Amino acid sequence: NDKVWSELSGVLAGLDKVISLGLQPATSHAFTAFAARLVSPAFAAVGWDASTGESDNQKKLRSTLIGAVSRFCYKDPAIAAEATRRCHEWLAAPNESGPTALSADIRPAVLSIAMKNCGSNDLLDKLQASHDCLTDAAARIHVYQALGQVESADLRARVLEWALTEKV
C-alpha cells in the first residue's frame, strides 16, 4: 500500500538523518543495512516499470519505493547497474517522451542512484551536457538533484565549478 510505504519511507529517512548526523558511522551503516532489508523486497515486488492497467496507487508506490531504494540500496550492484543503464539510455534522448522514456516519477531516483555510483567523468559530462538541451524544466531540476549526489570529492568540485557558470 502506498500510504503505508510513504509513511514508513518518511520515518526511515528521518531516522537516517538523525543517525547519520549524531551517531557513529558503524551505527549509520547498520541502520542503512536494516532499512535496505525492509525496502529491497518491497521494491522487487513492484519493479522498475509500470505494467499495463496499473493503478495510480501502484505508480505512487513504485515512486515511493524507488526513492527509498535511492537512499538505502543504491550500493547494491544490481540496482546500481540497472539505474546506470537507464540513466545512459535516457541521456541518449533526454527530450524523448512515450512508453520507452524514463518516466518522471522514477527519473530523480534513477539519476541519483547512477550519480552516487559514478566514479568517472563520463556520466558527469553527459548529465551536464543534457542540461543544455533539455526542454522540460522538471527534468533540469532532476539533473541538478542528481549532480548534487555525486560522492567523489573530485567530481563534486567539478559540479560546483560548473554550477557557478552562466549555463546554470
Side-chain angles (χ1 to χ4, degrees), residues 133-157:
C133 73
L134 284 169
T135 56
D136 179 11
R140 277 192 172 175
I141 291 170
H142 297 159
V143 167
Y144 297 144
Q145 291 168 335
L147 289 170
Q149 299 294 316
V150 71
E151 293 192 343
S152 157
D154 291 340
L155 296 180
R156 270 187 279 170

Side-chain angles (χ1 to χ4, degrees), residues 106-123:
I106 69 166
R107 186 186 311 125
V110 168
L111 299 181
S112 173
I113 294 167
M115 284 310 296
K116 286 178 180 181
N117 288 284
C118 175
S120 70
N121 291 328
D122 180 53
L123 183 57

Side-chain angles (χ1 to χ4, degrees), residues 9 29-30 49 52 68 71 76 83 89 103 118 125 144 153 157 167:
S9 180
H29 295 309
D49 298 306
T52 307
R71 184 175 201 121
D76 178 289
E89 196 173 85
S103 65
C118 175
D125 291 341
Y144 297 144
K167 288 183 177 184

